[in-house]
Amino acid sequence: MKRIFSGMQPTSQLHLGNYLGALKNWVDLQKEEDTQRLYCVVDLHAITMPYDHTQLSQATLEIAAAYMAAGIDPKKSILFVQSHVPEHAQLMWLLATMSQMGKLERMTQFKDKAGKNKERASLGLFAYPVLMAADILLYKATHVPVGEDQKQHLELTRDLASTFNTRYGVDYFSQPEPVISGPAPRVMSLRDGTKKMSKSADSDMTRINLIDTPEMIVKKIKKAKTDSDPLPDNLKDLEGRPEAMNLVTIYAALAGISKEQVIKEFAGQQFGKFKPALADVAVEHLAPITERMNELLDDKAQIETVLHDGAEQARKMAAQTLGEVFDIMGLSKVAMIH
Ligand code: TYM
């Protein structure tokens, strides 16, 4: 059976990149029959960088609310918080014993986040991809829908699955497939079309957040960086115009049409015309999600119940895998309580 696993960090509000690169695809994947789906709020990942400990549990609830508001249905998907299932950290340790430091050092996200002073980066940040591998392998996920920036981490997960099998002479973990087919797997910053839209960028004007009001969305799109040429009549001519390409990609992804269709509709038009149309599509698509999210957050008990039930289901699956891995690795299970 197909089993899908994915997660997002509660580092701050979700933005359009998270939505178009991953979350929208998660929702669409709910249509697939004979598939089990687990969607996680990965709070243990979020603490690998400096964070506000007074806000973390609220941020965790907000991400869960965003999942549900976007259309993740707890009847079709198991929705839970990573730290509620202790087996994630346990399996991570076991996998850490077979993770090569050289490979972890080559992870671009580690290099970006550690910055110039690698010596001072925490062990948690360094081991981040091992925890991610544990998240995926714990549920023996077959498919992992993510944005493009997670590709390298998934390669490492596949690598660890084979290392485990080879080292212990088993055919236990299969290779999870990355699913990088969201409508826009790499949404770029509104202020610099060569940089990815991210939660950590200093200026809020670089991204559209799922909780932005319609007025904010309109303002951010209006102020988005562009060039002075009109939109061309074919996609090829957008090459070398990263900001224009980004806005066309966002329009297509939100409207559910191809980039070619967008170009056809707006060929020859200036951004003065295109931007208001894009703002309309964005508001039309995002406003109902924001509204639903706020409603859900007014009744936190409902979200907590969903997360509680989700963690219970996830723990059953996780405990089974961990028990099997203990056996394979020769650890004693005598006193294991599950
Ligand atoms: P995170 O929280 O940074 O991002 C969540 C998801 O959003 C996608 N994404 C983007 N997609 C398109 N354009 C962008 N600008 C953009 N920014 C973010 C990410 O690719 C991701 O799919 N390490 C993961 C969380 C994680 C995970 C896992 C994912 C932990 N364990 C196991 C899958 C499976 C992360 O930091 O995502």
Side-chain angles (χ1 to χ4, degrees):
M1 192 183 25
K2 198 166 163 180
R3 192 177 280 164
I4 294 171
F5 181 94
S6 201
M8 298 205 184
Q9 299 187 67
T11 29
S12 64
Q13 287 306 327
L14 294 189
H15 54 68
L16 197 61
N18 301 128
Y19 180 66
L20 294 177
L23 186 52
K24 193 165 186 297
N25 205 18
W26 300 2
V27 175
D28 294 342
L29 287 167
Q30 291 188 130
K31 292 187 202 119
E32 293 196 4
E33 305 270 320
D34 218 14
T35 302
Q36 223 167 5
R37 286 159 284 257
L38 295 113
Y39 295 126
C40 185
V41 184
V42 291
D43 53 349
L44 296 176
H45 278 101
I47 61 174
T48 57
M49 288 292 277
Y51 70 101
D52 181 350
H53 69 281
T54 64
Q55 292 299 316
L56 182 63
S57 81
Q58 173 64 18
T60 301
L61 278 186
E62 283 173 9
I63 302 292
Y67 288 1
M68 289 162 72
I72 299 295
D73 176 355
K75 290 196 200 79
K76 294 185 184 150
S77 305
I78 300 174
L79 220 149
F80 70 105
V81 177
Q82 185 184 34
S83 63
H84 295 178
V85 181
E87 285 83 355
H88 287 249
Q90 288 178 277
L91 181 60
M92 180 217 153
W93 178 254
L94 303 179
L95 295 175
T97 63
M98 51 201 95
S99 301
Q100 292 176 9
M101 310 230 317
K103 286 184 182 163
L104 292 173
E105 252 173 3
R106 286 198 285 279
M107 294 289 119
T108 33
Q109 284 214 351
F110 172 69
K111 287 194 246 175
D112 287 351
K113 288 186 179 171
K116 288 195 192 85
N117 205 344
K118 245 176 31 185
E119 294 299 312
R120 283 177 170 259
S122 74
L123 178 58
L125 185 66
F126 189 63
Y128 178 112
V130 185
L131 179 58
M132 183 159 160
D135 298 340
I136 296 166
L137 298 178
L138 194 53
Y139 302 99
K140 303 208 190 95
T142 56
H143 294 80
V144 186
V146 283
E148 211 175 74
D149 61 344
Q150 297 301 314
K151 213 169 161 180
Q152 200 187 24
H153 287 161
L154 280 168
E155 274 157 22
L156 191 94
T157 303
R158 289 164 64 86
D159 198 55
L160 271 173
S162 336
T163 305
F164 179 90
N165 290 348
T166 311
R167 182 170 292 191
Y168 293 97
V170 288
D171 186 15
Y172 184 68
F173 287 126
S174 54
Q175 299 269 302
E177 291 290 331
V179 182
I180 306 183
S181 62
R186 193 168 177 82
V187 177
M188 309 310 277
S189 155
L190 296 180
R191 287 306 178 93
D192 179 350
T194 63
K195 292 209 175 98
K196 163 182 100 153
M197 185 178 283
S198 90
K199 294 174 201 160
S200 52
D202 287 341
S203 164
D204 195 52
M205 294 301 283
T206 60
R207 59 187 165 250
I208 292 174
N209 303 303
L210 288 194
I211 50 146
D212 283 349
T213 59
E215 294 72 34
M216 283 157 92
I217 294 177
V218 171
K219 184 171 160 202
K220 286 178 179 179
I221 291 178
K222 195 169 168 198
K223 298 222 159 178
K225 184 179 166 199
T226 45
D227 49 45
S228 50
D229 293 340
L231 282 167
D233 59 5
N234 68 84
L235 260 188
K236 202 145 188 359
D237 287 352
L238 274 183
E239 276 169 23
R241 297 176 64 187
E243 286 83 16
M245 176 62 105
N246 190 36
L247 295 186
V248 167
T249 306
I250 294 175
Y251 189 106
L254 286 169
I257 57 176
S258 68
K259 284 184 250 185
E260 285 82 1
Q261 281 172 293
V262 180
I263 287 292
K264 220 170 164 189
E265 199 177 326
F266 291 96
Q269 304 228 15
Q270 296 289 345
F271 283 100
K273 276 259 166 65
F274 181 67
K275 281 182 170 179
L278 173 61
D280 280 350
V281 176
V283 169
E284 192 188 323
H285 198 93
L286 299 178
I289 299 179
T290 314
E291 204 178 306
R292 174 92 189 107
M293 205 173 132
N294 289 330
E295 271 167 31
L296 281 162
L297 285 168
D298 281 342
D299 179 13
K300 287 187 188 146
Q302 191 195 336
I303 310 174
E304 281 163 359
T305 306
V306 167
L307 294 177
H308 180 267
D309 292 351
E312 246 176 26
Q313 292 180 67
R315 276 207 79 172
K316 280 196 196 116
M317 297 160 79
Q320 160 119 20
T321 306
L322 195 70
E324 288 164 3
V325 171
F326 267 37
D327 274 343
I328 293 170
M329 291 182 68
L331 292 152
S332 157
K333 289 202 302 185
V334 178
M336 254 177 112
I337 308 161
H338 280 302

